[in-house]
């Protein structure tokens, strides 16, 4: 059976479930009469999960982001070449940071999917969730051990132990939730296949702890293999989906209960909560901006004794020495803020978030989390030195990938634009070109800055800081530039005046339409 056949089965099953849900609601009074007193007590003790989820998203975003601190605070001696030191960082701290950031976001995505099934909570579920958060907050310590002692297996063992216990607690949450169906979402409540749902979800949840168990075993034999297994955990959904596709091509489609395709699938188009993706992303951007000012407060406050002896008590004169640090801070903060602005603009027009879009968002946030490293590097070395040039080029690479993955989210959404994007930004929509320009601005500017610094290495710092200063003004003028470019293209390729005016009139008519009245 092909993909169309699978889709028809799923849609048919969804229609059946929604019909059951409608019937259940239409007979609400008779249903409540059949509920036992103990079940009524359970209902009265339930509570909304919104605050718990907001707290969890904030906590996980903090934990994922602060993992850059051991990397950003690695000092490079004046007599060391940054290129050689960076090779050491890339093979240890940076690689482990990226891997651990992705694994933490995998745990966060699993948390999203879990609480898409369990929509209501009670005190027991709240406490179990806090236990999950406690284990997740311990992950940075295990990360520090892995980064500092990459050949020592203790860090790997502690990390794997945390993930395995975390998976066990999530399994307990599933069992507990299904033992009290009123905690589940409405679709599962009215389903006749609750047992199948439970077994399927448990099977999916336990795959990651099992992988980590094998990683811990391999740490005693060949510890490099442990890192490979942990990396596989990140891409397990896509590996599983690829294997399933290969199997269907080799031996034909395996008969499978349609329910298994509705929850906890490994399909890239499986929906993720857009609100939680936004909340997690906002947390990462906020923490990155906060880390920048913490570095200023820690390193750029002069000692009172030094101010008195060397500068005659003049604080202004003492602070002048920190001019490059202040410039780097304001430039870095502007970069973080504008990347958030682009992210906000993108998700303002996204109507549905998928698993694959979530993965691309994770990659973007991982590089956003590296901006404190870029800030540290851009002001740490002497002017016009080789280290300064390489530090600025590293910063350009970080900014480029942070922006290009945001652009990739939009490109991925365009492949199923009717389900994922607002009509304004779909192909041919009146905001399509503007959104493309907004998302492409930072990747293009960062790439151009990188090549300019290669050609004009003596002016690398000036070029980089000029880029940071001019990009905000480019965003202010972007709409005018896009409109001017589109007008010029119309004049060149569509010189017919009446058709152009008709298109403009149609665009103006669409612009009068309230944003919230457009239905996808």
């Amino acid at each position: 059976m092909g993909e169309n056949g699978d889709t028809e089965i799923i849609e048919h099953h969804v229609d059946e479930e929604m019909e059951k849900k409608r019937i259940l609601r239409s007979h609400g009074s008779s249903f409540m009469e059949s509920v036992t007193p103990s079940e009524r007590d359970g209902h009265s003790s339930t509570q909304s999960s919104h605050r718990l989820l907001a707290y969890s998203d904030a906590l996980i975003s903090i934990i994922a982001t602060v993992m850059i601190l051991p990397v950003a605070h690695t000092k490079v001696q004046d007599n060391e070449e940054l290129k050689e030191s960076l090779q050491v960082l890339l093979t240890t701290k940076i690689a482990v940071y990226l891997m651990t950031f992705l694994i933490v976001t995998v745990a966060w995505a699993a948390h999203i999917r879990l609480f898409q099934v369990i929509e209501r909570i009670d005190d027991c579920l709240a406490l179990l969730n806090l236990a999950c958060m406690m284990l997740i907050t311990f992950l940075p310590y295990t990360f520090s051990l892995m980064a500092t002692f990459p050949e020592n297996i203790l860090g790997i063992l502690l990390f794997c132990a945390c993930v395995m216990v975390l998976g066990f607690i999530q399994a307990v949450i599933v069992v507990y939730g299904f033992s009290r169906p009123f905690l589940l979402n409405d679709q599962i409540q009215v389903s006749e296949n609750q047992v199948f749902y439970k077994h399927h979800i448990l099977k999916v949840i336990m795959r990651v702890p099992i992988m980590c168990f094998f990683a811990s075993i391999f740490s005693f034999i060949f510890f490099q293999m442990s890192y490979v297994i942990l990396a596989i955990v990140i891409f397990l959904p896509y590996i599983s989906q690829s294997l399933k596709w290969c199997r269907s091509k080799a031996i034909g489609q395996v008969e499978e209960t349609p329910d298994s395709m509705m929850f906890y699938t490994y399909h890239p188009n499986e929906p993720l909560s857009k609100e939680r993706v936004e909340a997690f992303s906002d947390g990462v951007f906020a923490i990155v901006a906060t880390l920048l000012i913490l570095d200023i407060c820690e390193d750029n406050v002069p000692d009172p004794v030094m101010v008195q002896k060397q500068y005659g008590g003049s604080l202004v004169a003492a602070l002048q020495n920190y001019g490059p640090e202040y410039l780097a801070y304001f430039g870095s903060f502007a970069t973080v803020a504008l990347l958030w602005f682009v992210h906000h603009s993108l998700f303002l027009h996204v109507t549905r978030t998928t698993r694959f879009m979530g993965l691309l968002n994770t990659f973007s946030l991982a590089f956003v989390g590296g901006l404190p490293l870029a800030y540290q590097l851009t002001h740490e070395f002497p002017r016009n030195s080789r280290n300064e040039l390489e530090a600025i080029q590293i910063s350009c690479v970080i900014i480029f990938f942070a922006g290009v993955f945001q652009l990739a989210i939009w490109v991925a959404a365009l492949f199923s634009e009717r389900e994922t994007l607002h009509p304004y930004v779909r192909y041919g929509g009146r905001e399509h070109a503007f959104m493309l320009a907004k998302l492409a601005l930072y990747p293009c500017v960062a790439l151009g800055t990188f090549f300019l610094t290669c050609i004009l290495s003596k002016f690398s710092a000036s070029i980089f800081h000029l880029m940071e200063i001019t990009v905000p003004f480019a965003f202010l003028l972007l709409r005018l530039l896009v409109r001017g470019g589109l007008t010029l293209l119309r004049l060149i390729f569509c010189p017919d005046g009446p058709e152009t005016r008709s298109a403009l009139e149609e665009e103006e008519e669409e612009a009068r339409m309230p944003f919230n009245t457009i239905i996808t």
Side-chain angles (χ1 to χ4, degrees):
M1 188 182 298
E3 278 188 15
N4 292 335
D6 288 342
T7 303
E8 291 175 0
I9 291 175
I10 296 166
E11 291 176 350
H12 176 68
H13 184 77
V14 170
D15 291 340
E16 289 181 348
E17 295 289 351
M18 295 305 293
E19 180 65 18
K20 292 175 186 176
K21 183 176 175 181
R22 185 189 65 78
I23 294 172
L24 180 62
R25 285 178 175 172
S26 65
H27 295 82
S29 58
S30 61
F31 174 77
M32 289 305 296
E33 290 175 1
S34 66
V35 176
T36 64
S38 61
E39 286 176 321
R40 289 195 189 100
D41 293 339
H43 277 283
S44 63
S45 66
T46 60
Q47 53 200 271
S48 171
S49 62
H50 294 309
R51 187 172 181 183
L52 177 140
L53 299 182
Y55 171 76
S56 301
D57 291 338
L59 192 60
I60 295 175
S61 65
I62 293 170
I63 296 306
T65 309
V66 298
M67 291 180 180
I68 194 61
L69 290 179
V71 183
H73 291 170
T74 301
K75 297 298 181 181
V76 179
Q77 301 299 324
D78 293 337
N79 59 350
E80 291 180 334
E81 286 291 333
L82 179 60
K83 186 175 182 180
E84 297 175 359
S85 301
L86 186 64
Q87 290 174 355
V88 177
L89 288 175
L90 283 174
T91 54
T92 54
K93 293 187 177 182
I94 291 180
V96 175
Y97 156 72
L98 290 174
M99 183 189 67
T100 312
F101 186 97
L102 294 175
I103 287 180
V104 170
T105 53
V106 166
W108 166 75
H111 192 272
I112 290 181
R113 301 166 75 204
L114 179 61
F115 283 91
Q116 283 177 336
V117 172
I118 300 175
E119 291 187 346
R120 288 162 283 276
I121 63 169
D122 57 14
D123 290 345
C124 183
L125 283 180
L127 293 174
L128 286 172
N129 183 72
L130 290 177
C132 290
M133 295 301 106
M134 180 185 67
L135 290 168
I136 292 175
T137 56
F138 191 69
L139 288 177
Y141 178 69
T142 65
F143 155 75
S144 298
L145 290 177
M146 293 167 66
T148 308
F149 305 98
E151 297 183 3
N152 194 306
I153 66 172
L154 181 59
I156 299 175
L157 291 176
L158 286 175
F159 185 88
C160 292
C162 284
V163 176
M164 287 188 287
V165 176
L166 183 63
F168 174 76
I169 294 175
Q170 289 182 339
V172 171
I173 291 176
V174 171
V175 173
Y176 181 85
F178 275 87
S179 68
R180 292 161 174 76
F182 53 84
L183 297 173
L184 305 175
N185 66 39
D186 295 336
Q187 188 172 342
I188 296 182
Q189 283 190 44
V190 300
S191 175
E192 298 175 354
N193 300 299
Q194 289 188 13
V195 175
F196 178 84
Y197 279 131
K198 182 175 73 172
H199 291 163
H200 175 70
I201 293 171
L202 288 173
K203 181 177 69 175
V204 173
I205 285 177
M206 294 308 296
R207 289 182 183 179
V208 172
I210 290 173
M211 295 281 290
C212 288
F213 174 76
F214 283 112
S216 62
I217 296 298
F218 273 102
S219 66
F220 293 98
I221 305 169
F222 185 60
F223 75 92
Q224 289 89 347
M225 189 64 186
S226 299
Y227 289 103
V228 173
I229 294 175
L230 291 178
I232 291 175
V233 168
I234 300 170
F235 302 100
L236 183 61
Y238 307 97
I239 295 173
S240 175
Q241 189 68 21
S242 299
L243 292 175
K244 185 181 291 186
W245 181 83
C246 293
R247 184 183 63 178
S248 65
K249 294 298 182 182
I251 63 176
Q253 188 72 29
V254 178
E255 189 69 20
E256 195 169 18
T257 305
D259 287 6
S260 65
M261 296 293 291
M262 297 176 62
F263 293 97
Y264 275 80
T265 72
Y266 279 133
H267 199 279
N269 287 328
E270 179 186 355
L272 284 180
S273 170
K274 177 193 169 187
E275 291 75 17
R276 294 196 62 185
V277 171
E278 292 175 332
F280 177 78
S281 303
D282 290 344
V284 171
F285 281 106
I287 296 303
V288 169
T290 306
L291 292 178
L292 297 176
I293 193 59
L294 287 179
D295 289 328
I296 286 281
C297 294
E298 180 182 356
D299 300 329
N300 302 112
V301 177
D303 182 62
V305 177
M306 183 193 71
V307 172
Q308 189 65 36
K309 289 184 177 180
Q310 296 185 9
Y311 301 97
S314 174
L315 183 59
V316 174
L319 292 178
Q320 287 177 354
N321 292 332
Y322 299 112
E325 284 85 346
Y326 298 141
L327 183 61
Y329 163 73
F330 286 113
S332 298
F333 188 92
T335 302
V336 174
L338 289 174
L339 284 171
W340 174 86
F341 170 71
V342 174
H343 189 277
H344 164 72
S345 301
L346 171 62
F347 277 85
L348 182 66
H349 295 91
V350 169
T351 57
R352 177 177 174 268
T353 309
T354 65
R355 171 186 280 277
F356 183 61
M357 292 167 63
L359 179 67
L360 294 173
N361 186 64
T362 297
F363 287 145
S364 176
L365 294 178
F367 283 98
V368 169
L371 288 174
L373 172 63
Y375 162 74
Q376 287 283 349
L377 293 177
T378 51
H379 72 269
E380 189 167 342
F381 303 107
R383 292 294 304 271
N384 298 326
S385 65
R386 181 68 183 175
N387 280 351
E388 183 192 51
L389 172 62
E390 292 176 352
I392 288 173
Q393 290 175 344
I394 292 168
S395 301
C396 291
V397 170
I398 292 174
I399 295 170
F400 171 79
F401 281 108
V404 82
F405 279 115
Q406 289 183 342
L407 177 62
I409 295 172
W410 187 61
V411 173
L414 284 174
F415 281 99
S416 53
E417 59 180 17
R418 290 188 177 275
E419 293 80 24
T420 56
L421 288 177
H422 193 280
Y424 284 176
V425 294
R426 295 175 189 169
Y427 185 76
R430 69 181 181 90
E431 293 289 323
H432 179 84
F434 180 58
M435 181 59 66
L436 175 60
K438 188 182 291 187
L439 289 164
L441 181 59
Y442 254 121
C444 292
V445 170
L447 195 62
T449 304
F450 179 88
F451 286 115
L452 275 177
T453 57
C454 292
I455 299 170
L456 305 172
S457 58
K458 184 180 293 187
F459 307 101
S460 59
S462 301
I463 293 172
F464 182 75
H465 292 310
L466 182 65
M467 179 269 287
E468 291 182 315
I469 293 171
T470 55
V471 166
F473 296 100
F475 273 107
L476 291 175
L477 300 174
L478 189 61
R479 187 176 289 276
L480 292 176
L481 294 174
V482 171
R483 285 181 177 175
L486 290 176
T487 303
L488 182 62
L489 290 175
R490 289 192 186 103
L491 291 174
I492 295 173
F493 297 103
C494 302
D496 191 351
E499 289 187 9
T500 304
R501 285 194 299 272
S502 177
L504 290 173
E505 289 172 2
E506 183 179 347
E507 188 173 299
E508 290 175 0
E509 184 179 350
E510 185 183 1
R512 297 189 199 103
M513 212 183 258
F515 184 86
N516 294 329
T517 60
I518 301 293
I519 300 175
T520 56

